[in-house]
Amino acid sequence: MDAPVRSVISPGRYVQGPGAIARLGEYLSAIGRTPLVVADDVVWGFVGHDVEASLTRAGMTATREKFHGIPSAGEIDRLTAVIRDTGADVAVAVGGGSTIDAVKASGYLAGIRWVSVPTVASTDAPTSALAVVYTDEGVFEEYRFFPRNPDLVLVDSQLVANAPATFLAAGVGDALATWLEARATAASGSLTMAGGTATLTGTALARLSWDVLWENALVAMDAARDHVVTPALEKVIEANTLLSGLGFESGGLAAAHAVHNGLTAAPQTHGLAHGQKVNIGSITQLVLEGAPSAEIVDFIEFTTRVGLPTTLTEIGLRPEDTEEIQAVARAATVESETIHSMPFTVRAEDVAAALTSIERLGRRVRERAGLPEPQPYRHAH
């Protein structure tokens, strides 16, 4: 058997700043000449003009294809066919993590290059060499891995500031998990998404993401609510997108994201943002670890102040929903899940117990800190 290697992977170029969308054509011209731009109708409504103008200045025509909402196998195959029919040589995803994952997967299948243009800082999907694929109903199905990362990730921080602040909060939830999972992966010596064991670089970037967020997230959330770009917001956008992306991919995933994937098996949680469910996964991981009480209390207080769910109530579940919680726990512990990167054995019954316990825990911490009562989440459908 070959000796294990350590590996770091990253996008070819990362660009961030207010008004960066105006320079998309400039950066894109070094990658391809016939782009296919994929965006849903809402995103295209507020950014389409800027994208078209930027590509026109670079001597390119923007051919736009609508994204239908879920990165399912069917949607990926449909986009792959569109790429081939249009003769595009680069696929450009403009929007959130679902759009970006669908474009990465279809770009790979079509044999062309791909670019991420996130309009929110809600996940670390834009930088990675993998896509999360769901069923048409929104249930986690699989990870798909690709031999390279996006050639370009371009983030217009003013677009991020213009978006509802809840998207930024979700990105903080996703990014805070990066260090919790990277330290667990390093402790167990498990493989990372980069195809080797964790590097010092990947683990350090995961820790840096955590430190930047604890220092800046609350101030950045105020800027996002006022739709203005500040130094704190720029730092949080970078932490949510680049540092978290590099940290999770080359540092490792563990229980928090496995619990997220498991939660997609409960229909009550559908409609929640990725990072909202990941935050519940992070608290569950801390409970599974038997982390010091002070660490758990600080995490619950901080993420509640950010605007993230810290109880089952806020994701549509209750401790007495035994059947659903057991289904979540079984899905989170299937053989292929990243929960097995934890430095100890985790069984489905362990996950169910930890997940059930966070309702009372979260309510107690919030009450003592004078934080608001949890509000029930009900999926619109």
Side-chain angles (χ1 to χ4, degrees):
M1 183 177 178
D2 293 335
V5 297
R6 300 175 187 273
S7 180
V8 174
I9 55 178
S10 68
R13 182 185 291 270
Y14 181 85
V15 177
Q16 177 185 317
I21 196 73
R23 300 184 64 181
L24 176 59
E26 170 192 340
Y27 288 107
L28 199 55
S29 62
I31 300 169
R33 297 303 304 175
T34 54
L36 177 73
V37 182
V38 180
D40 64 36
D41 287 342
V42 173
V43 167
W44 195 247
F46 64 77
V47 80
H49 174 77
D50 292 334
V51 170
E52 289 177 331
S54 179
L55 296 189
T56 298
R57 283 194 297 272
M60 290 183 279
T61 301
T63 301
R64 181 246 170 169
E65 178 62 27
K66 179 181 176 179
F67 174 61
H68 290 157
I70 295 178
S72 63
E75 178 68 354
I76 290 165
D77 290 344
R78 186 188 71 81
L79 289 174
T80 303
V82 172
I83 290 170
R84 289 173 174 153
D85 290 344
T86 58
D89 60 3
V90 56
V92 183
V94 182
S98 293
T99 306
I100 288 166
D101 277 358
V103 166
K104 282 186 285 189
S106 57
Y108 169 70
L109 289 174
I112 64 169
R113 302 169 85 174
W114 54 88
V115 165
S116 301
V117 184
T119 53
V120 290
S122 60
T123 76
D124 46 28
T127 65
S128 75
L130 67 87
V132 186
V133 179
Y134 298 87
T135 67
D136 292 331
E137 293 71 41
V139 178
F140 172 78
E141 189 167 80
E142 64 176 344
Y143 289 113
R144 291 192 190 182
F145 297 90
F146 314 118
R148 66 181 189 279
N149 299 68
D151 289 280
L152 168 68
V153 178
L154 184 142
V155 190
D156 188 321
S157 43
Q158 187 61 59
L159 285 178
V160 173
N162 292 346
T166 51
F167 286 111
L168 188 71
V172 172
D174 194 21
L176 284 172
T178 305
W179 167 239
L180 298 179
E181 295 182 288
R183 73 182 186 185
T185 302
S188 67
S190 300
L191 295 179
T192 71
M193 299 299 191
T197 54
T199 56
L200 294 175
T201 302
T203 305
L205 291 173
R207 179 60 201 237
L208 180 58
S209 175
W210 172 271
D211 291 343
V212 168
L213 292 171
W214 277 83
E215 181 65 29
N216 295 280
L218 296 180
V219 178
M221 286 301 302
D222 288 333
R225 292 182 186 107
D226 290 329
H227 307 301
V228 294
V229 177
T230 64
L233 181 61
E234 291 280 18
K235 290 175 183 177
V236 169
I237 291 170
E238 184 177 343
N240 284 8
T241 310
L242 181 63
L243 291 176
S244 179
L246 297 174
F248 99 77
E249 201 160 34
S250 297
L253 294 180
H257 272 79
V259 171
H260 161 276
N261 295 342
L263 285 169
T264 67
Q268 296 96 318
T269 70
H270 291 184
L272 287 163
H274 172 82
Q276 292 176 310
K277 288 179 282 191
V278 169
N279 202 62
I280 295 298
S282 292
I283 299 170
T284 304
Q285 177 172 322
L286 289 169
V287 172
L288 285 168
E289 291 174 325
S293 294
E295 184 177 0
I296 299 176
V297 168
D298 285 349
F299 189 87
I300 291 173
E301 285 189 19
F302 180 68
T303 56
T304 300
R305 294 183 197 280
V306 168
L308 290 161
T310 53
T311 61
L312 295 182
T313 293
E314 294 163 294
I315 62 167
L317 293 171
R318 303 167 302 165
E320 54 266 33
D321 292 333
T322 306
E323 188 174 325
E324 287 89 344
I325 289 172
Q326 288 177 346
V328 169
R330 287 193 299 271
T333 53
V334 297
E335 188 176 350
S336 59
E337 262 302 348
T338 57
I339 203 164
H340 304 297
S341 292
M342 296 296 289
F344 49 83
T345 300
V346 182
R347 305 168 303 162
E349 46 265 49
D350 300 324
V351 174
L355 195 55
T356 302
S357 76
I358 72 171
E359 178 71 22
R360 194 182 300 274
L361 171 63
R363 285 180 177 273
R364 177 170 54 80
V365 170
R366 291 163 70 132
E367 184 178 358
R368 288 184 177 179
L371 292 167
E373 184 86 4
Q375 296 302 306
Y377 171 75
R378 290 183 178 86
H379 180 35
H381 302 296

